[in-house]
Amino acid sequence: MEKNFKIDQSNAIRSEGLLYDLHNQYDYRQMTVYNDRIVEIVFTPHEVHGEGLPTVMLRFSGIDYLELSPGFCCRADTDLDEVGYISPDQRDDRSILEEAQATPADHLFFRFHSGFIRLHAERARIRVWKPGRLEGSAQATDLSNPGGVKRQDFSEEPES
């Protein structure tokens, strides 16, 4: 999986020198699955611990594996316990690999209190919005210039 982010300390995403602590400062908000092999996972700032932080979306394209634990979407759960990698043939989640241990073939694994999301894709991209914005027309924060804001079309490659 080719990504523009790295998993950090099994609970955060690091991209362009910025750290997004999904365990302590964010709440899982939603997952959207599109029929053209795209999955989007959105995390919004926690009302207390994430005040003023941007919304974070992970967009996976070219999905070739997607698994949800039984009943995952049947319970309200906003708390991410950990994120890491597991090998494609691994059927339990007792041992989750860190970024340095993972290979491009490994599946990304999000563990929540009530279950998990497991997936693999050709590409994964992080997108960040100004606080309070979640709509598809939101403006994405340019991670190389955290103070600047620009519109970004998700169908195109990010600018270099």
Side-chain angles (χ1 to χ4, degrees):
M1 181 173 353
E2 185 241 317
K3 310 181 310 288
N4 72 341
F5 61 85
K6 297 204 180 292
I7 304 300
D8 194 293
Q9 300 179 3
S10 299
N11 64 6
I13 302 285
R14 182 174 299 278
S15 180
E16 300 289 330
L18 298 175
L19 185 72
Y20 303 95
D21 185 343
L22 301 180
H23 174 73
N24 294 304
Q25 297 176 315
Y26 285 87
D27 292 329
Y28 166 72
R29 170 75 179 263
Q30 71 186 41
M31 180 176 74
T32 306
V33 179
Y34 298 94
N35 64 357
D36 56 352
R37 299 177 50 216
I38 293 175
V39 170
E40 295 173 344
I41 301 174
V42 177
F43 294 89
T44 55
H46 183 274
E47 63 184 78
V48 174
H49 305 296
E51 186 176 350
L53 293 175
T55 295
V56 172
M57 180 180 73
L58 302 175
R59 180 182 171 93
F60 301 91
S61 57
I63 291 285
D64 53 31
Y65 188 89
L66 176 62
E67 179 182 358
L68 304 177
S69 59
F72 174 75
C73 296
C74 299
R75 295 179 288 276
D77 186 357
T78 62
D79 298 324
L80 176 75
D81 288 336
E82 64 181 326
V83 60
Y85 300 89
I86 57 179
S87 66
D89 58 346
Q90 184 176 340
R91 296 314 314 157
D92 65 68
D93 60 355
R94 289 181 290 215
S95 175
I96 297 178
L97 302 172
E98 295 181 6
E99 186 76 38
Q101 302 168 308
T103 70
D106 289 332
H107 295 175
L108 197 52
F109 188 86
F110 297 86
R111 184 195 321 267
F112 298 87
H113 290 330
S114 67
F116 66 82
I117 301 170
R118 176 180 178 166
L119 58 82
H120 187 269
E122 294 170 8
R123 292 180 16 153
R125 296 286 178 258
I126 185 173
R127 302 288 193 230
V128 181
W129 284 281
K130 291 172 56 173
R133 298 296 304 266
L134 183 60
E135 304 85 24
S137 63
Q139 293 192 355
T141 301
D142 179 356
L143 295 179
S144 64
N145 178 15
V149 174
K150 66 178 183 179
R151 277 193 66 84
Q152 200 160 26
D153 180 353
F154 293 127
S155 65
E156 297 178 6
E157 285 292 317
E159 295 175 13
S160 309

